[in-house]
């Protein structure tokens, strides 16, 4: 019972105090813009807005879900409300962390509730894919999904896929049998958009095609190269065997840049590019590769824990100005044009993609 909630705090503490990032990059260093000496646009006319699931946003940045599950005004509630105020101010979307704690302990609902401070924000609820597995008797269904969204007046639901994290933790939920079918059934009845999101190991083209085939509305690739959940579990491990397993899988997964290309090439779904996005040039590359948003989690945690709304906004504005500058230097006055500028892909990312997709076709039609 208490375990889920305690676990949550350990995660936040490790994320704040230790190195929980992958030892490898997210792949965008292999993606290059071609500088344009005659941009033929004014920097001031650049429009960073994007459309997503029927809504318009001022900037192509998504605050990825992190937390929830404490009593009202405590840690998790403060983090979510701080992020929500920033998201409201900038008109960008945000997610909350896993609402499993809220399903078990309904009295924690306020820690996910941000409508009082962010009346207009596009808010995304969050439940875990393994909870929908046919293997568990008390599996989630439409009732829990509705509760997650409606209790906090969210606009959509994210279902997180995290087999890596679950597989390297002692109390992990490693039952994934029947999840795709359960999500198909949920999607058929559910009146809100569903975003399938990974949490640091990336989404392959094979998984993306399956998710699109059951009607999932968008994919957050949650790729390798940012926060590593094996790293978090490494610090939490209770014995040598656990530490070894988590360390071994620290850098497991599909890099964010690669995952964006695989999903863009194989589906029509809107993409959120999360996983190690730490500057606006990298974010502009993700948008050019076909993502609608760059998603960010870890860098916002530190100011959010302190309730520092201005601190969160400052980081996001830095990203925004860097994206804008990159767009100017490739002559793209909006995100749609950014998707048509030339890109050069080199190194590991190129070698991978050449074996997995028709790279030329992808670069032409992204
Ligand atoms: C997360 N993430 C996450 N994802 C999810 O779907 N449900 C959750 O409850 C959480 N919890 C959570 C807590 C903390 C402290 C962090 C840092 C992250 C994963 C997050 O949404 C994102 O996919 C990854 O962190 C990758 O992005 P960054 O951190 O590299 O920018």
């Amino acid at each position: 019972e208490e375990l889920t909630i305690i676990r949550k705090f350990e995660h936040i503490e490790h994320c704040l105090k230790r190195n929980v990032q992958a030892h490898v990059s997210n792949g965008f260093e292999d993606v290059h813009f071609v500088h344009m000496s005659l941009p033929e646009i004014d920097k001031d006319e650049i429009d960073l807005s994007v459309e997503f699931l029927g809504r318009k946003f001022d900037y192509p940045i998504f605050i990825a879900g992190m937390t929830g599950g404490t009593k009202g005004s405590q840690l998790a509630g403060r983090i979510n409300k701080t992020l929500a105020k920033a998201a409201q101010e900038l008109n960008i979307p945000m997610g909350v962390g896993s609402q499993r704690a809220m399903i078990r302990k309904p009295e924690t609902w306020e820690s996910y509730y941000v409508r009082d401070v962010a009346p207009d924000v596009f808010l995304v609820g969050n439940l875990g894919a393994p909870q929908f597995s046919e293997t568990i008797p008390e599996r989630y269904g439409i009732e829990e999904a509705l509760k997650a969204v409606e209790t906090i007046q969210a606009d959509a639901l994210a279902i997180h896929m995290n087999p890596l994290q679950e597989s390297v933790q002692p109390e992990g939920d490693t039952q994934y049998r029947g999840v795709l079918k359960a999500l198909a059934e949920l999607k058929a009845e559910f009146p809100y958009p569903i975003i399938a999101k990974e949490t640091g190991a990336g989404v392959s083209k094979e998984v993306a095609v399956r998710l699109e085939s059951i009607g999932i509305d968008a994919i957050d690739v949650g790729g390798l190269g940012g926060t590593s959940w094996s790293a978090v579990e490494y610090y939490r491990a209770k014995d040598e065997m656990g530490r070894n397993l988590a360390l071994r899988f620290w850098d497991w997964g599909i890099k964010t840049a690669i995952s964006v290309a695989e999903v863009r090439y194989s589906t029509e779904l809107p993409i959120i590019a999360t996983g190690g996005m730490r500057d606006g040039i990298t974010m502009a590359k993700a948008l050019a590769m076909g993502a609608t948003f760059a998603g960010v989690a870890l860098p916002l945690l530190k100011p959010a824990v302190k309730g520092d709304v201005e601190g969160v906004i400052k980081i996001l504005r830095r990203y925004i100005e860097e994206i804008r500058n990159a767009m100017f230097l490739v002559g793209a006055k909006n995100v749609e044009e950014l998707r048509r500028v030339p890109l050069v892909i080199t190194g590991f990312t190129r070698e991978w993609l050449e074996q997995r997709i028709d790279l030329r076709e992808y670069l032409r039609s992204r």
Side-chain angles (χ1 to χ4, degrees):
E1 257 297 301
E2 296 290 322
L3 254 181
T4 319
I5 292 169
I6 295 167
R7 230 188 286 172
K8 213 84 240 172
F9 289 123
E10 277 185 57
H11 289 161
I12 289 174
E13 201 169 328
H14 290 310
C15 283
L16 284 170
K17 294 185 181 155
R18 314 224 186 204
N19 172 29
V20 294
Q21 304 218 60
H23 302 122
V24 298
S25 76
N26 62 5
F28 284 100
E29 76 283 2
D30 287 338
V31 179
H32 311 271
F33 282 122
V34 180
H35 171 66
M36 189 178 265
S37 308
L38 291 171
E40 288 294 334
I41 56 170
D42 297 342
K43 190 175 163 185
D44 288 345
E45 69 178 321
I46 292 173
D47 174 8
L48 288 159
S49 69
V50 286
E51 276 174 38
F52 176 70
L53 302 178
R55 282 269 291 261
K56 192 164 177 183
F57 301 93
D58 287 354
Y59 304 105
I61 300 178
F62 195 116
I63 301 180
M66 283 187 271
T67 196
T70 57
K71 286 214 192 83
S73 59
Q74 290 164 3
L75 187 63
R78 181 164 69 235
I79 294 171
N80 282 331
K81 280 199 166 54
T82 304
L83 295 173
K85 285 177 192 167
Q88 171 79 22
E89 163 88 17
L90 295 173
N91 183 27
I92 59 173
M94 75 167 271
V96 294
S98 174
Q99 290 174 273
R100 187 181 183 185
M102 192 197 89
I103 300 293
R104 289 201 184 163
K105 297 199 146 209
E107 68 273 18
T108 66
W109 70 277
E110 279 182 286
S111 66
Y112 301 90
Y113 185 79
V114 298
R115 276 283 167 245
D116 50 339
V117 297
D120 312 302
V121 88
F122 187 90
L123 184 67
V124 181
N126 190 302
L127 291 174
Q131 268 60 61
F132 291 84
S133 166
E134 66 184 38
T135 308
I136 44 178
E138 71 287 19
R139 68 193 296 194
Y140 288 178
I142 188 154
E143 195 184 317
E144 288 77 12
L146 282 173
K147 199 174 283 177
V149 166
E150 290 177 351
T151 308
I152 62 167
Q153 295 163 32
D155 300 284
L157 180 66
I159 306 276
H160 67 258
M161 306 175 286
N162 64 344
L164 172 60
Q165 182 192 7
E166 301 291 359
S167 68
V168 298
Q169 69 181 40
E171 73 275 36
D173 296 316
T174 49
Q175 65 287 45
Y176 260 80
R177 205 202 306 151
V179 167
L180 189 69
K181 185 160 170 275
L183 295 184
E185 285 164 13
L186 174 65
K187 184 56 215 176
E189 299 176 76
F190 198 56
Y192 301 92
I194 298 181
I195 302 168
K197 85 184 279 287
E198 244 290 348
T199 50
V203 175
S204 68
K205 64 176 184 191
E206 290 83 1
V207 169
V209 165
R210 277 172 212 156
L211 292 168
E212 185 177 48
S213 76
I214 62 165
I216 293 296
D217 297 274
I219 293 179
D220 181 335
V221 302
L224 168 64
T227 304
S228 160
W229 283 94
S230 316
V232 178
E233 295 305 334
Y234 169 80
Y235 297 116
R236 294 185 59 236
K238 299 281 181 284
D239 56 33
E240 201 190 328
M241 191 72 93
R243 261 192 304 281
N244 172 72
L245 192 64
L247 183 59
R248 189 70 66 196
F249 286 84
W250 188 296
D251 295 320
W252 176 273
I254 305 166
K255 292 182 173 208
T256 307
I258 290 172
S259 188
V260 169
E262 289 211 3
V263 178
R264 178 73 298 129
Y265 176 74
S266 58
T267 76
E268 303 281 312
L269 295 176
I271 295 170
I272 304 163
T274 310
M277 307 306 280
R278 304 288 181 259
D279 69 84
I281 300 178
T282 302
M283 292 176 180
K285 290 177 183 176
L287 303 172
M289 289 181 76
T292 301
F293 293 102
V296 194
L298 190 61
L300 305 179
L301 185 60
K302 213 169 248 176
V305 164
K306 292 186 281 191
D308 180 6
V309 181
E310 286 313 312
V312 174
I313 291 175
K314 193 173 160 197
I315 294 171
L316 293 168
R317 285 211 190 277
R318 198 195 92 213
Y319 298 152
I320 289 165
E321 286 321 303
E322 291 168 354
I323 296 172
R324 194 193 312 278
N325 214 53
M327 287 173 71
F328 177 59
L329 296 175
V330 295
K333 65 176 179 302
N334 55 49
V335 174
E336 212 181 297
E337 287 187 12
L338 185 58
R339 280 196 183 180
R340 290 198 292 266
V341 305
L343 284 179
V344 176
I345 300 183
T346 61
F348 175 83
T349 302
R350 178 181 196 92
E351 286 179 30
W352 175 298
L353 290 176
E354 276 177 344
Q355 292 184 38
R356 294 277 296 165
I357 65 176
D358 181 341
L359 189 54
R360 270 169 196 283
E361 170 60 23
Y362 159 70
L363 285 172
R364 227 187 346 259
S365 64
R366 67 197 198 262

